[in-house]
Amino acid sequence: MAEIIEFSGPVLTGPDTVRRGLWSVDGLLTFTRPPHVPGRVLDGWVLPGFVDAHCHIGLGPGGAVDPATAEEQARTDLNAGTLLARDAGSPADTRFLQDSRDAPVLIRAGRHLARTGRYLRGFAEEVEPDGLVEAVRKQARDGDGWVKLVGDWIDRGAGDLAPSFPAAVVRDAVQAVHDEGARITAHCFAEDTLDQMLDAGIDCIEHATGLLPRHLPRFVEQGVPIVPTLINIATFPDIAAQAEPKFPRYAAHMRALWERRAERVLEAYAAGVQIYAGTDAGSVIRHGRIADEILALHHAGLPMAAALDAACWGAREWLGAEGLQEGARADVVLCREDPRKVPETVSGLAHVVLGGRVLR
């Protein structure tokens, strides 16, 4: 006998589309009523499982974590409704989680690639410019279609944020990734780094705190999305305070980026830049906070339907993952109320279903 779950509530198949009548049959979704009585009936507003588009399973404050800790991180994300995670760089080999029934679907980017001595110790594979092209090719082959580049970081000699690599090298690296059939994203805090990345043909920008009006048309024309990681950007004042005694210019810059964080995201949304939700969990940010990031996007000015799209339907389409379609894997979350009208309901999910298995 088939294992059947009936979802008795409204089904949000998109930000503005509602259907009735959805079932999971042996772990796959169908809009056709099965001939047999369901084993369980779950009530609530049904959405595709949340996507955390910037997550670091396998990473801790000191670098790579052991497999047991990585599994705990994955379970924490699952319980919060993250059923698909795009890894944005991890020093740990987390491929073993891709066969686990207790982990989100995981799209790996391999290790961060950073300039030698210009990133957090133990996080990245550190390379000099003449080794970057070879390094991105290796990560493209080792990952699941994504490569993560650290585009800028503090230059202690200059006392402020500065690009990690020369522009010509970045262009060659981006082309090399594309030649490998993969996409490349970049950590970018500063304003000028965005120009460098757009010139190189980057596929995505993480954080994007340096967005200026001059950048917005290029992001739209080139189809480059951003993952703002707003709950991580909230830590900038603390970073600035720690840096102030030695690097006052850098501290002032980080505070300025923090002060306009919400306005930049809203300006990007209004201009038509695609935005996706990512928590940056794994080092300073604890896992399981996708709801906080969705709400942060909403509080920045995005309509709640758009904030949900950043973590649901749009994010899944961008990553080539299934949503709420006939025959798709039954990876869904259920809210107690319509999350478009009651945003806080995403923080207290009624149910989480992974592959047709009810986790909560």
Side-chain angles (χ1 to χ4, degrees):
M1 176 102 33
E3 294 184 12
I4 301 173
I5 301 171
E6 179 180 355
F7 302 103
S8 61
V11 180
L12 282 167
T13 57
D16 302 305
T17 54
V18 181
R19 292 186 64 171
R20 288 274 186 174
L22 180 67
W23 292 262
S24 168
V25 180
D26 287 337
L28 301 178
L29 296 175
T30 182
F31 290 94
T32 301
R33 181 183 292 277
H36 303 291
V37 175
R40 293 195 65 172
V41 178
L42 303 182
D43 190 28
W45 287 75
V46 183
L47 291 82
F50 294 146
V51 176
D52 190 338
H54 186 124
C55 191
H56 301 284
I57 295 173
L59 175 68
V65 300
D66 60 74
T69 302
E71 288 176 333
E72 182 181 356
Q73 292 173 340
R75 285 193 297 270
T76 300
D77 286 324
L78 274 186
N79 288 333
T82 292
L83 304 190
L84 173 60
R86 183 187 65 143
D87 160 54
S90 176
D93 186 345
T94 55
R95 277 176 278 209
F96 75 96
L97 290 171
Q98 294 178 314
D99 297 323
S100 173
R101 297 177 74 242
D102 297 311
V105 173
L106 181 61
I107 299 174
R108 297 173 49 260
R111 297 200 68 173
H112 306 71
L113 292 170
R115 184 72 173 267
T116 306
R118 290 277 306 280
Y119 197 49
L120 297 165
R121 185 175 300 174
F123 279 36
E125 179 178 334
E126 299 188 353
V127 299
E128 284 300 284
D130 61 359
L132 184 62
V133 169
E134 181 181 351
V136 298
R137 287 190 184 278
K138 178 181 182 297
Q139 294 303 324
R141 293 166 186 167
D142 287 349
D144 301 323
W146 281 96
V147 175
K148 168 69 175 296
L149 179 68
V150 178
D152 60 21
W153 198 251
I154 184 172
D155 182 333
R156 290 171 178 79
D160 199 1
L161 292 167
S164 302
F165 298 96
V169 174
V170 173
R171 285 196 299 271
D172 290 344
V174 170
Q175 185 59 55
V177 171
H178 292 166
D179 289 345
E180 295 289 338
R183 291 185 279 184
I184 181 168
T185 190
H187 160 112
C188 294
F189 283 165
E191 297 83 354
D192 292 345
T193 316
L194 296 178
D195 298 289
Q196 183 192 70
M197 295 299 161
L198 291 167
D199 289 345
I202 201 77
D203 297 298
C204 180
I205 293 291
E206 314 298 317
H207 316 301
T209 48
L211 272 174
L212 297 174
R214 73 168 188 263
H215 297 128
L216 297 177
R218 297 192 64 191
F219 271 85
V220 175
E221 290 164 11
Q222 295 178 218
V224 178
I226 64 172
V227 184
T229 67
L230 286 174
I231 61 172
N232 181 45
I233 304 311
T235 67
F236 276 22
D238 290 338
I239 294 171
Q242 293 172 20
E244 183 81 50
K246 288 187 177 180
F247 304 108
R249 190 166 146 214
Y250 166 75
H253 196 174
M254 295 295 280
R255 287 194 189 96
L257 293 173
W258 172 78
E259 286 168 356
R260 290 205 67 245
R261 65 201 183 282
E263 290 87 345
R264 284 189 171 99
V265 171
L266 183 56
E267 288 166 2
Y269 172 75
V273 177
Q274 191 61 59
I275 297 169
Y276 298 115
T279 64
D280 207 356
S283 54
V284 176
I285 305 300
R286 62 176 174 81
H287 284 265
R289 294 193 60 193
I290 188 60
D292 292 338
E293 185 65 22
I294 294 169
L295 293 173
L297 290 171
H298 177 51
H299 295 152
L302 271 63
M304 191 57 188
L308 288 167
D309 194 39
C312 288
W313 315 276
R316 285 180 167 270
E317 182 178 1
W318 173 55
L319 293 173
E322 296 174 317
L324 300 184
Q325 295 108 15
E326 185 73 27
R329 198 173 92 148
D331 289 353
V332 302
V333 296
L334 284 79
C335 296
R336 301 177 194 282
E337 300 178 81
D338 184 346
R340 299 169 302 173
K341 297 179 179 178
V342 186
E344 292 73 20
T345 195
V346 298
S347 297
L349 297 173
H351 299 287
V352 175
V353 179
L354 180 70
R357 185 164 55 98
V358 181
L359 303 183
R360 54 178 283 195

